[in-house]
Amino acid sequence: MKLRYIDEFRDPEVARRLLSEIKKISRRPVRLMEVCGTHTMNIGRYGLRGLLPHHVQLISGPGCPVCVTTTKEIDMMIKLAEEDVTVATFGDLMRVPGSHTNLNQQRARGADIRVVYSSFDALGLALKNLKPVVFLGVGFETTAPTVAATIIEAKKRRVRNFSVFSAHKLIPPAMEVLVSSPDLRIDGFICPGHVSVIIGLRPYKVLAERYKVPCVITGFEPLDILQGILMLIKQIEKGKAKAEIQYTRAVKEEGNLKAKEVMEEVFSPCDANWRGFGLIPKSGLCFRKDYKEFDVNSYFDIKVDEAKEPLGCRCGDVLKGKIIPPQCPLFAKVCRPANPIGPCMVSSEGSCAAYYKYRDWEIA
């Protein structure tokens, strides 16, 4: 079945047919993990979790870049804002709790923190200002190429007051940790659409072949997601494990070669810490030698005390799929969008925020 026009992606009759086929062929209990916060939100928005057979369980993974950013990294960003600099950041970082405060509260105390819509906006601030401007680079392979392109432009224009705090993360290494964990069971991955536009199919092929776990790159509309689930279940029922693309209108097997080239010119993979996971080898992006002048660590020695995690918050276990949000003792009691205890309730891509907003805990 090929879906072409926007109305088709929300056609109730097509949805009924897909659901009927899922129910017809799915016989065994399966746990399918989506590794994208937009998938998590749209699964809740369109009520897909409640439409599936009870033995087809959808669990959320580390698909929210703000959520996987560690408390220590947040503390370092807050500490940086105490310097005589302009800190530029995406808005979803503002309310993420550090050990004692957050960026929003620091701005209220007088820190020069600006919300921008792109890294190029941050560079624009540097071009208009003599004060150092630091962009907080948080994101996956989706945003890293744009940040890299901004850095290349800054070098070309010889901008001396612009730097980046690189907290970028790479999705495939985290997926490998998940499928190799003895205490987790994942029968298939609903692979992220945005990330896959950049990296293509190959990383998932390696994952599927090595760990025998089906992977399907899936779009974001409700029929995309249902079709992706159906493709995974077909593989599982046949005992197969391969990587496929459902989101063919946006994702090519080779990915976006130019975006990868730009990203690899500026950054190289390095070990990185993830919330809930700890240190994952080659899962972060560090500056290459030719671009070290734009690494914030070249200008500031940012030291912070040992990070303090919110008492009782199980955001890390949610990110690994060990529990679903309603199983956290704080969820919907102490931790709500108006009073978020952990980042999974703060971010617009967070699992806890999605479950709360769309009342998915009632289904769970």
Side-chain angles (χ1 to χ4, degrees):
M1 182 191 307
K2 287 190 176 181
L3 305 173
R4 297 186 180 183
Y5 304 106
I6 191 64
D7 289 345
E8 294 181 56
F9 302 126
R10 302 177 187 178
D11 187 320
E13 184 54 40
V14 178
R16 279 190 282 271
R17 292 204 303 268
L18 288 168
L19 283 164
S20 177
E21 192 168 356
I22 288 169
K23 291 172 183 177
K24 181 180 177 181
I25 69 169
S26 177
R27 296 179 177 85
R28 66 185 76 180
V30 292
R31 284 165 52 88
L32 307 178
M33 176 179 278
E34 80 270 4
V35 197
C36 175
T38 307
H39 280 143
T40 300
M41 278 291 174
N42 283 349
I43 285 166
R45 178 185 178 189
Y46 295 109
L48 301 185
R49 193 171 278 107
L51 297 175
L52 293 166
H54 290 302
H55 62 272
V56 177
Q57 184 183 8
L58 302 182
I59 53 175
S60 304
C64 164
V66 167
C67 302
V68 300
T69 303
T70 65
T71 301
K72 182 177 180 179
E73 287 172 317
I74 299 298
D75 287 346
M76 292 173 72
M77 294 171 185
I78 292 167
K79 183 74 173 177
L80 184 62
E82 296 175 1
E83 302 286 343
D84 185 25
V85 301
T86 297
V87 172
T89 177
F90 295 138
D92 55 356
L93 262 178
M94 293 295 289
R95 294 174 66 232
V96 177
S99 294
H100 305 288
T101 183
N102 61 38
L103 289 168
N104 204 37
Q105 291 168 336
Q106 289 302 101
R107 182 167 67 173
R109 295 184 182 112
D112 187 3
I113 302 172
R114 317 280 184 93
V115 174
V116 295
Y117 293 98
S118 75
S119 51
F120 278 99
D121 289 344
L123 178 59
L125 289 174
L127 289 168
K128 296 175 185 175
N129 197 340
L130 292 176
K131 192 161 74 169
V133 174
V134 181
F135 176 70
L136 304 182
V138 172
F140 297 135
E141 293 93 336
T142 315
T143 54
T146 308
V147 176
T150 305
I151 292 165
I152 291 170
E153 180 66 15
K155 187 177 180 71
K156 179 181 175 182
R157 298 179 69 163
R158 299 181 180 178
V159 181
R160 302 301 181 205
N161 63 329
F162 178 72
S163 61
V164 173
F165 185 120
S166 180
H168 297 99
K169 307 285 194 293
L170 304 175
I171 281 288
M175 293 172 69
E176 186 166 1
V177 169
L178 288 166
V179 292
S180 59
S181 297
D183 57 338
L184 292 174
R185 191 186 114 228
I186 299 168
D187 300 305
F189 281 113
I190 300 170
C191 297
H194 297 137
V195 164
S196 302
V197 167
I198 306 299
I199 68 175
L201 189 65
R202 187 176 177 279
Y204 308 119
K205 279 186 173 181
V206 174
L207 201 68
E209 290 167 5
R210 184 176 298 165
Y211 295 99
K212 309 303 178 189
V213 177
C215 298
V216 175
I217 298 170
T218 305
F220 302 102
E221 293 291 339
L223 299 190
D224 284 325
I225 297 170
L226 289 176
Q227 192 174 37
I229 291 168
L230 177 59
M231 291 167 71
L232 284 168
I233 288 173
K234 283 181 175 179
Q235 286 196 53
I236 292 166
E237 292 294 336
K238 292 177 181 177
K240 294 183 177 180
K242 59 182 179 178
E244 298 181 296
I245 304 173
Q246 181 279 332
Y247 198 26
T248 54
R249 63 188 184 277
V251 177
K252 298 178 181 178
E253 183 162 348
E254 68 275 16
N256 186 320
L257 298 178
K258 181 60 179 177
K260 287 193 287 187
E261 178 187 328
V262 169
M263 182 168 63
E264 290 165 7
E265 180 178 340
V266 175
F267 298 116
S268 62
C270 59
D271 300 347
N273 279 295
W274 293 54
R275 185 184 300 271
F277 289 72
L279 188 70
I280 302 179
K282 303 297 182 183
S283 67
L285 290 175
C286 293
F287 284 85
R288 293 190 183 276
K289 183 179 178 181
D290 289 348
Y291 292 92
K292 273 284 187 182
E293 64 192 279
F294 297 101
D295 183 352
V296 70
N297 294 301
S298 298
Y299 298 94
F300 300 98
D301 183 19
I302 313 168
K303 294 188 185 305
V304 293
D305 296 332
E306 185 177 350
K308 295 182 179 179
E309 301 299 331
L311 191 64
C313 176
R314 296 191 64 187
C315 185
D317 288 337
V318 170
L319 292 166
K320 292 182 74 174
K322 293 183 75 170
I323 64 169
I324 58 175
Q327 292 173 316
C328 174
L330 306 185
F331 178 81
K333 299 179 181 73
V334 178
C335 185
R336 300 185 182 95
N339 181 45
I341 305 300
C344 294
M345 186 62 86
V346 176
S347 174
S348 60
E349 295 186 329
S351 303
C352 296
Y355 267 77
Y356 190 95
K357 183 174 183 178
Y358 298 110
R359 304 189 71 84
D360 267 6
W361 78 84
E362 295 176 353
I363 296 169

